[in-house]
Amino acid sequence: MASAQGKGGVEENPKQEQKQQDKPKEQTNGEKEKDTTKGPAAACPRHSRHPLENVWTLWYLENDRSKHWKDMLTEVAKIDSVETFWSLYYTIRPPSELKVGCDYSMFKLGIKPMWEDEANSKGGRWLISVNKNSKAELDRLWLEILLMMTARIFENSEEICGAVINIRSKNNKISVWTANGSNEAAILEIGQKLKLFLRLQSNNLQYQLHSDAMCKSNSSVKSIYTV
């Protein structure tokens, strides 16, 4: 219909043809104006990233008596955003499914999960013992500790180096490592928050110095703080 009227009115009504010619131009301009709104501000939310305050490295240690301890340690991935954290967490096996003798460690970028590392050598660790049969509890504690570290809920978050979970034949262990074993105020603040947020029983959280652990002659290491 519109085409027929346009052809029939070319000479009889030039003003009408002019309006018809102008109309599609106005629509085109309108479409262009709509297109200009499709910029970064209108990007799909699923593509946005939420960076963490610190970049972290996940390490995995698989027990192999034929290798030196350091050679059993493998860097798994770097974690720099909330999305990277959850993607990795749901990809790897939970701690409760690891074999005896294996460890997971998550430390700030540049720090290795070993006493000898310069960032760790003068520090210590808050240690939690978890019953071998408490698999759900083991996974819960590990996840909540990682979330507490990455969310920086501690007033002394700069003292946090990382965390380690050890799967052992008797009791499993989870530890949070700090940088300065002489910073009593920071150590106790971190310990109290761990106890509160993890809903731990009294005396199940003990702080040990790495220097004492390195010099130990047996399996027991004295604790300098208990909460």
Side-chain angles (χ1 to χ4, degrees), residues 153-160 183 185-187 189-190 193:
I153 70 160
F154 304 101
E155 293 177 14
N156 296 277
S157 288
E158 71 283 354
E159 283 289 315
I160 300 288
N183 192 341
I187 291 170
E189 183 266 327
I190 291 169
K193 277 223 173 80

Side-chain angles (χ1 to χ4, degrees), residues 9-12 30 35 39 48 56 61 67 71 75 110 147 151-152 162 193-194 196 204 212 215:
V10 170
E11 295 182 357
E12 297 176 3
D35 289 341
S48 61
W56 300 81
L61 183 145
K67 295 181 180 179
D71 296 328
E75 181 179 328
L147 293 176
R152 293 176 60 89
K193 277 223 173 80
L194 286 170
L196 176 65
N204 192 27
D212 291 338
C215 298

Side-chain angles (χ1 to χ4, degrees), residues 110-125:
I111 305 177
K112 293 183 178 180
M114 55 183 65
W115 298 325
E116 300 84 355
D117 190 288
E118 184 178 354
N120 301 320
S121 60
K122 296 180 181 179
R125 61 178 183 171

Side-chain angles (χ1 to χ4, degrees), residues 45-62:
R46 68 182 179 181
H47 296 307
S48 61
R49 295 176 73 257
H50 300 82
L52 300 175
E53 289 285 339
N54 297 100
V55 179
W56 300 81
T57 303
L58 180 70
W59 302 82
Y60 172 65
L61 183 145
E62 184 165 356

Side-chain angles (χ1 to χ4, degrees), residues 19-178:
K19 289 181 180 180
Q20 290 177 347
Q21 291 175 349
D22 292 340
K23 189 174 183 180
K25 290 182 180 179
E26 293 173 357
Q27 290 175 339
T28 301
N29 291 337
E31 290 173 356
K32 288 182 179 180
E33 289 176 1
K34 290 180 181 179
D35 289 341
T36 60
T37 64
K38 296 180 181 180
C44 182
R46 68 182 179 181
H47 296 307
S48 61
R49 295 176 73 257
H50 300 82
L52 300 175
E53 289 285 339
N54 297 100
V55 179
W56 300 81
T57 303
L58 180 70
W59 302 82
Y60 172 65
L61 183 145
E62 184 165 356
N63 190 28
D64 186 344
R65 295 183 181 277
S66 66
K67 295 181 180 179
H68 186 275
W69 184 86
K70 292 182 181 180
D71 296 328
M72 293 189 285
L73 193 61
T74 303
E75 181 179 328
V76 178
K78 288 182 173 60
I79 303 167
D80 62 355
S81 68
V82 174
E83 291 76 14
T84 305
F85 175 88
W86 287 114
S87 176
L88 183 62
Y89 182 81
Y90 286 117
T91 300
I92 63 176
R93 289 177 293 172
S96 61
E97 295 182 11
L98 296 180
K99 296 184 297 182
V100 172
C102 294
D103 301 344
Y104 275 146
S105 304
M106 196 170 90
F107 277 70
K108 288 176 180 174
L109 183 66
I111 305 177
K112 293 183 178 180
M114 55 183 65
W115 298 325
E116 300 84 355
D117 190 288
E118 184 178 354
N120 301 320
S121 60
K122 296 180 181 179
R125 61 178 183 171
W126 278 111
L127 182 65
I128 308 167
S129 294
V130 186
N131 188 284
K132 186 68 180 176
N133 297 322
S134 304
K135 292 187 175 182
E137 180 73 352
L138 182 73
D139 292 340
R140 179 189 74 83
L141 291 172
W142 178 241
L143 174 58
E144 291 191 10
I145 285 174
L146 299 187
L147 293 176
M148 291 173 73
M149 292 196 309
T150 55
R152 293 176 60 89
I153 70 160
F154 304 101
E155 293 177 14
N156 296 277
S157 288
E158 71 283 354
E159 283 289 315
I160 300 288
C161 296
V164 181
I165 184 165
N166 310 114
I167 307 303
R168 299 297 182 261
S169 56
K170 295 182 180 180
N171 287 332
N172 298 313
K173 297 179 180 180
I174 304 177
S175 54
V176 176
W177 292 26
T178 69

